[in-house]
Amino acid sequence: MKTTKKLKLILCLFFIFSISNLSAQQLEFESIERADGTAFFAIDKATGQISFMLDYGSNAGNWKNYGKTIDRNSQEKNLALYTIQRTDGTAFFAMDGATGQVYFMLDYGSNAGNWKSYGGVLPKSENSFVSFQASSRTDGTAFFAMDGNTGQIYFMLDYGSNAGNWKSYGGTVPE
């Protein structure tokens, strides 16, 4: 092979490898215990596609997709996942790590399988890395986020007079 052909082949292979890496999914994982066993959930961190697998029943050990993807302006791979088992089914919560926008999807009810945005965006510092959790309470759901660079905690409730608004709590973690 001539050097030019080798170079073209190498560039072509590099291009194919680069394109395949761009589309590679990145997943975040959660699990919850149910009466029959464990349910495993994964979210594609760019699209919000939920996949699930059970360790019981006739389809045990097989991943399946559930619901729609999240309609958002960004395709950054920064969605965090949190799941909560409720009496009626499972509630999925995702947070965009760049904006702090929370999304939710239920696997029950008339709007099952559809992501909806909730609340405002998170007040954040420059270049923040955000961790996310949600907690079921008697009155509704509490959302918590932590700026991974400073340790600043934020919370938002989906009930009460200040529902849908992020508030900071405490200070930053000392160095």
Side-chain angles (χ1 to χ4, degrees):
M1 239 187 211
K2 293 183 179 179
T3 305
T4 306
K5 284 186 179 181
K6 284 183 183 178
L7 183 57
K8 285 182 183 179
L9 178 62
I10 290 170
L11 287 174
C12 182
L13 290 173
F14 175 75
F15 179 74
I16 291 170
F17 178 75
S18 296
I19 294 297
S20 67
N21 266 352
L22 287 175
S23 64
Q25 65 184 349
Q26 285 186 357
L27 303 171
E28 184 166 320
F29 168 76
E30 280 276 315
S31 67
I32 57 175
E33 293 300 313
R34 293 183 171 168
D36 295 338
T38 306
F40 305 97
F41 301 98
I43 189 170
D44 181 309
K45 292 176 68 82
T47 67
Q49 177 64 62
I50 294 287
S51 300
F52 72 96
M53 177 175 62
L54 305 174
D55 70 354
Y56 58 92
S58 61
N59 284 318
N62 296 311
W63 284 102
K64 292 184 178 185
N65 287 343
Y66 177 76
K68 296 182 179 178
T69 59
I70 296 176
D71 184 21
R72 62 186 186 132
N73 294 332
S74 173
Q75 286 299 302
E76 285 187 50
K77 296 177 180 181
N78 64 357
L79 289 170
L81 173 67
Y82 207 83
T83 59
I84 296 177
Q85 182 67 35
R86 294 184 171 164
T87 305
D88 295 334
T90 305
F92 303 99
F93 300 97
M95 188 176 82
D96 183 319
T99 65
Q101 179 64 61
V102 171
Y103 301 89
F104 72 95
M105 178 173 62
L106 306 174
D107 71 355
Y108 58 92
S110 61
N111 206 18
N114 294 303
W115 286 105
K116 297 285 184 186
S117 61
Y118 180 76
V121 296
L122 183 68
K124 64 179 190 116
S125 63
E126 263 184 59
N127 303 317
S128 66
F129 166 75
V130 180
S131 298
F132 173 65
Q133 291 184 353
S135 177
S136 189
R137 295 182 172 176
T138 304
D139 293 333
T141 305
F143 305 98
F144 303 98
M146 184 183 87
D147 181 322
N149 292 321
T150 67
Q152 180 64 59
I153 298 291
Y154 299 93
F155 71 96
M156 177 174 65
L157 306 173
D158 70 356
Y159 59 92
S161 61
N162 207 10
N165 295 308
W166 286 104
K167 297 286 185 187
S168 61
Y169 180 78
T172 59
V173 174
E175 291 187 34

